[in-house]
Amino acid sequence: MERLKGALIVGFLKLFALLPFGVAQRLGALVGWLMWKLPNRSRDVTRINLSHCMPELSESELNDLVRRTLLDTGRSFAESACAWMWSPQKTVGLIKEVEGEHLLTEALAAGKGVVGITSHLGNWEVLNHWYCLRAKPIIFYRPPKQKAVDELLQRQRTQLGNKVAASTREGIISVMREVRRGGAVGIPADPEPALKSGLFVPFFATQALTSKFVPNLLKGSEAQALFFHCVRLPDNSGFKVILEAAPDALYSKDEYEAVACMSKVIEDYVRRWPSQYMWSMKRFKKRPAGEKRWY
């Protein structure tokens, strides 16, 4: 059954990628609209997450943000299908603006390692191609359940001579070695880790179990940490890539301070583009002791 699911997903992605970008994006938005109108898990999870994280919203404001989020989620899926199937150069052509590119240029020139940190905001697949055209990073990722989809992602994410590392013991070791030898890596910082691998730190109006991997990776190395995001332009015509140097607190020897700093930077980005965050992700499955489960 998983093999069949994987084949159907890959076929669907290939069909999407045959369309012009604008058409694919509009179809993605239509899928998002259907997610808003029809009962489904993504709509439920999005509403639960936003109601906990932004309790200050009125009911009408919450409904509007859920709607806009699902529309943007649909767009992200369609854009990602194109990014997976198109040539990297064609995908990167959708990037109209870049802010802070000199930070990456300088960090690479220093030769002491670059830890690129991102989150599920905007379109991380387009960002992946942009980053890999400028460096040869190891991209850290959590493999999907379907083998066919995983094989597709590995193949498409390594078109530019870079590598990928699954979130396994072997993958973690390969990322650590790359940083120690002065190479570049890319890490999504917001997937929920195992309890032993994270700390509960503030995220919006709640506490979120957040990975300790990046702060621990920076300890004992001279690597530079940069935050990378690729957000959709207001007219949906393309994207803007934004790079930001990590605050000093991310390098703190105090583990809690470092993890909380990382969470705060991501929160600041999501506050600027709230509908472009993947709120349909079950980001808050694990809760602090004594708190009821959300899902």
Side-chain angles (χ1 to χ4, degrees):
M1 182 57 72
E2 289 300 321
R3 185 178 299 176
L4 177 60
K5 285 182 182 177
L8 288 172
I9 292 171
V10 171
F12 183 71
L13 292 173
K14 288 181 177 180
L15 285 174
F16 248 96
L18 292 173
L19 301 170
F21 176 72
V23 175
Q25 197 182 54
R26 286 192 290 275
L27 279 177
L30 175 61
V31 172
W33 181 82
L34 291 172
M35 291 163 63
W36 158 243
K37 285 295 184 180
L38 303 175
N40 62 89
R41 192 202 71 165
S42 293
R43 186 181 72 174
D44 294 342
V45 172
T46 297
R47 179 176 292 277
I48 290 168
N49 288 344
L50 285 170
S51 63
H52 282 281
C53 290
M54 300 184 187
E56 71 278 8
L57 296 179
S58 67
E59 187 65 21
S60 62
E61 289 171 333
L62 176 63
N63 286 336
D64 181 61
L65 184 52
V66 171
R67 179 187 61 81
R68 290 189 290 114
T69 296
L70 292 171
L71 289 175
D72 276 341
T73 298
R75 291 187 181 102
S76 291
F77 288 153
E79 294 160 357
S80 295
C82 294
W84 287 328
M85 299 301 171
W86 292 354
S87 71
Q89 291 78 9
K90 183 177 179 180
T91 301
V92 170
L94 296 170
I95 296 171
K96 310 299 184 184
E97 303 175 42
V98 179
E99 180 181 314
E101 184 172 0
H102 68 282
L103 296 171
L104 177 59
T105 303
E106 292 165 2
L108 291 171
K112 295 179 179 179
V114 178
V115 178
I117 308 164
T118 191
S119 69
H120 288 82
L121 174 73
N123 199 299
W124 48 96
E125 298 298 342
V126 176
L127 177 65
N128 176 66
H129 286 321
W130 183 89
Y131 188 18
C132 293
L133 274 171
R134 286 153 180 78
K136 291 292 180 284
I138 293 180
I139 302 298
F140 193 63
Y141 80 110
R142 183 172 292 181
K145 293 179 181 179
Q146 291 79 25
K147 184 179 179 182
V149 179
D150 187 28
E151 290 173 347
L152 171 69
L153 295 189
Q154 289 189 49
R155 186 168 60 250
Q156 298 305 107
R157 287 173 171 172
T158 57
Q159 296 177 77
L160 294 165
N162 60 294
K163 298 177 182 178
V164 293
S167 53
T168 61
R169 183 175 182 274
E170 293 75 16
I172 290 170
I173 290 172
S174 69
V175 167
M176 293 174 66
R177 285 176 177 166
E178 186 70 11
V179 172
R180 295 295 183 267
R181 76 172 188 83
V185 299
I187 302 173
D190 56 345
E192 188 178 63
L195 278 169
K196 65 179 181 180
S197 302
L199 293 172
F200 282 102
V201 296
F203 185 71
F204 285 85
T206 189
Q207 297 283 312
L209 184 64
T210 304
S211 175
K212 299 183 287 187
F213 183 41
V214 169
N216 288 339
L217 190 61
L218 294 170
K219 287 179 182 177
S221 78
E222 296 182 316
Q224 296 184 49
L226 301 175
F227 284 89
F228 291 62
H229 283 95
C230 178
V231 295
R232 190 175 300 105
L233 295 173
D235 62 359
N236 298 322
S237 64
F239 302 93
K240 177 179 180 178
V241 169
I242 303 171
L243 283 73
E244 177 184 349
D248 291 342
L250 186 59
Y251 301 91
S252 174
K253 293 180 180 178
D254 184 312
E255 197 170 54
Y256 181 88
E257 181 183 11
V259 176
C261 168
M262 185 173 68
S263 179
K264 181 63 169 63
V265 173
I266 292 172
E267 177 186 328
D268 288 345
Y269 276 95
V270 177
R271 283 192 181 278
R272 291 171 67 184
W273 295 279
S275 70
Q276 292 196 38
Y277 191 61
M278 199 167 79
W279 290 107
S280 56
M281 174 173 58
K282 287 190 175 181
R283 173 68 181 88
F284 309 94
K285 287 191 287 187
K286 302 178 182 74
R287 305 308 305 143
E291 186 177 318
K292 288 178 61 177
R293 293 174 65 91
W294 292 12
Y295 315 115

